[in-house]
Amino acid sequence: MCTEEIRNMKLSIVATLYQSAPYISEFYERASTAARQQVGEDFEIVLVNDGSPDNSLDLAIKFTEMDAHVVVVDLSRNFGHYKAMMTGLSHAKGQRVFLIDSDLEEEPEWLLSFAAQMNHELCDVVYGVQERRKGRWFERWSGRLFYRLFNALSGLSLPENLVTARLMTRRYVDALLRHQEREVLMAGLWYITGFTQNAQTVTKHKTSETTYTFRRKMSLLVNSVTSFSNVPLISIFYIGVFISLFALSYIAYLIINWLFLAKPLSGWTSVMASIWLLGGMVISFVGVIGIYLSKIFSETKQRPYTIVRHIYGQQKQD
């Protein structure tokens, strides 16, 4: 995904576009101003159109016509936020890459404080973390539940309340782009790539309602855990062992009861409960195995990560 050519540009700002028309003009102005304060004119702004249904692409193309710093990568359809971000990173040429959402919930001016912290602490990544998650109580609760369940099931230690915004060095971005998963969880990939990563507390604004419903978060949790952990499969084995030991103990009890106590057994309730319990567990276990098989199926097909329809910009692209 990443080219091998030497990159000399100091800074790349990467953002994705999806229903971004109300924000893109202000984002462009503020991002350009912050970049100039940081590196002068030696920067680029890479905007990835992730099949946006509004006129985000048309507005972005106008910026490429009047400003040589802007590059627009137009994807052939909507591939999803995470894959669009990875595609944008693959087209970034800067020695430092600032990844951020374009909806202005994250401030482009964070670039300056992130860069100052990176220079002071000599780290490879400075990422934003919310001191208090935005949104209503249910959104905050479900977000906290997601991270805690993911960390418990995956064995990773992802920081809670991560935001997209992060400043990264070239070597970190190149290492990140070596991941070729088709099932992408950015927070997990950011973590397992390693290097020195330091947090900065930020306040994220609210410009629109979140599209991540509880059902979608739970679906994301299942996909994330099965992408980064084999704990569910191992748990099936231990649960099976436990049930087998319990069954053997119950058989021993029945034999002793039959030999020495000779009490009649009612049996109906226990038999039916056992059938329903074991039937439900078998179906759920088969479902877990099916999820892993579906991921193997997805990964082995090796379909294109994303498909770029066209690249707009006055600068020559790799």
Side-chain angles (χ1 to χ4, degrees):
M1 185 180 294
C2 178
T3 61
E4 299 296 333
E5 298 179 12
I6 298 176
R7 297 166 170 87
N8 296 315
M9 184 174 293
K10 290 183 179 179
L11 174 67
S12 295
I13 298 177
V14 176
T16 61
L17 303 178
Y18 189 82
Q19 295 184 341
S20 304
Y23 320 108
I24 187 171
S25 295
E26 182 179 350
F27 173 81
Y28 161 73
E29 295 292 343
R30 292 171 62 180
S32 298
T33 300
R36 287 189 172 91
Q37 292 179 20
Q38 184 64 36
V39 297
E41 295 296 326
D42 197 7
F43 71 93
E44 66 175 354
I45 299 177
V46 180
L47 303 174
V48 182
N49 178 48
D50 187 26
S52 182
D54 62 7
N55 64 334
S56 297
L57 176 61
D58 296 332
L59 295 174
I61 292 175
K62 291 181 180 178
F63 293 132
T64 67
E65 295 170 350
M66 67 181 189
D67 188 349
H69 295 97
V70 181
V71 176
V72 176
V73 180
D74 181 28
L75 302 184
S76 63
R77 62 173 176 85
N78 176 258
F79 286 89
H81 187 203
Y82 294 157
K83 291 184 178 181
M85 284 195 293
M86 291 289 278
T87 301
L89 293 177
S90 71
H91 285 81
K93 299 186 291 185
Q95 290 302 307
R96 288 185 176 180
V97 180
F98 183 52
L99 179 65
I100 185 173
D101 287 335
S102 62
D103 58 7
L104 299 179
E105 292 191 351
E106 302 170 358
E107 300 179 14
E109 293 79 11
W110 291 349
L111 167 66
L112 305 177
S113 59
F114 283 16
Q117 181 174 344
M118 179 175 284
N119 292 335
H120 180 261
E121 299 177 358
L122 301 178
C123 53
D124 290 279
V125 179
V126 175
Y127 60 90
V129 174
Q130 301 177 81
E131 184 174 6
R132 183 174 183 271
R133 192 177 186 89
K134 74 177 184 68
R136 299 174 182 174
W137 71 268
F138 184 78
E139 184 179 346
R140 297 195 300 270
W141 173 83
S142 59
R144 189 181 305 115
L145 177 65
F146 171 86
Y147 279 105
R148 291 183 178 178
L149 287 177
F150 178 82
N151 288 341
L153 294 174
S154 68
L156 303 180
S157 299
L158 300 186
E160 292 187 17
N161 301 333
L162 279 173
V163 299
T164 299
R166 53 179 39 219
L167 181 63
M168 302 166 282
T169 60
R170 181 75 258 162
R171 66 175 182 174
Y172 175 87
V173 173
D174 288 342
L176 177 64
L177 292 172
R178 294 180 64 185
H179 297 288
Q180 296 294 322
E181 285 97 327
R182 269 56 185 172
E183 302 289 337
V184 180
L185 173 68
M186 287 302 299
L189 294 183
W190 287 335
Y191 180 86
I192 65 175
T193 301
F195 294 89
T196 304
Q197 306 186 37
N198 296 338
Q200 182 172 131
T201 302
V202 297
T203 300
K204 189 173 181 178
H205 305 289
K206 185 177 181 63
T207 61
S208 61
E209 292 294 328
T210 180
T211 59
Y212 281 88
T213 62
F214 181 75
R215 178 181 177 183
R216 189 174 177 185
K217 286 179 180 178
M218 290 300 99
S219 176
L220 179 62
L221 175 65
V222 171
N223 289 330
S224 302
V225 170
T226 52
S227 294
F228 281 87
S229 173
N230 62 354
V231 169
L233 290 175
I234 296 175
S235 299
I236 289 176
F237 169 76
Y238 284 110
I239 292 174
V241 171
F242 173 79
I243 292 175
S244 298
L245 292 175
F246 177 79
L248 289 174
S249 300
Y250 191 60
I251 290 172
Y253 162 75
L254 292 177
I255 293 174
I256 294 173
N257 185 77
W258 180 75
L259 290 175
F260 299 102
L261 300 178
K263 292 182 178 180
L265 300 175
S266 57
W268 172 257
T269 303
S270 60
V271 169
M272 293 305 296
S274 300
I275 291 175
W276 282 102
L277 174 63
L278 293 177
M281 294 183 68
V282 168
I283 293 173
S284 64
F285 291 169
V286 171
V288 171
I289 296 172
I291 292 173
Y292 278 94
L293 289 176
S294 71
K295 291 191 176 297
I296 295 173
F297 177 66
S298 176
E299 296 293 339
T300 54
K301 284 187 294 186
Q302 292 293 299
R303 286 177 176 171
Y305 198 74
T306 57
I307 298 175
V308 176
R309 175 161 40 201
H310 192 74
I311 299 177
Y312 301 87
Q314 295 179 4
Q315 295 178 339
K316 183 180 181 298
Q317 296 301 299
D318 294 330

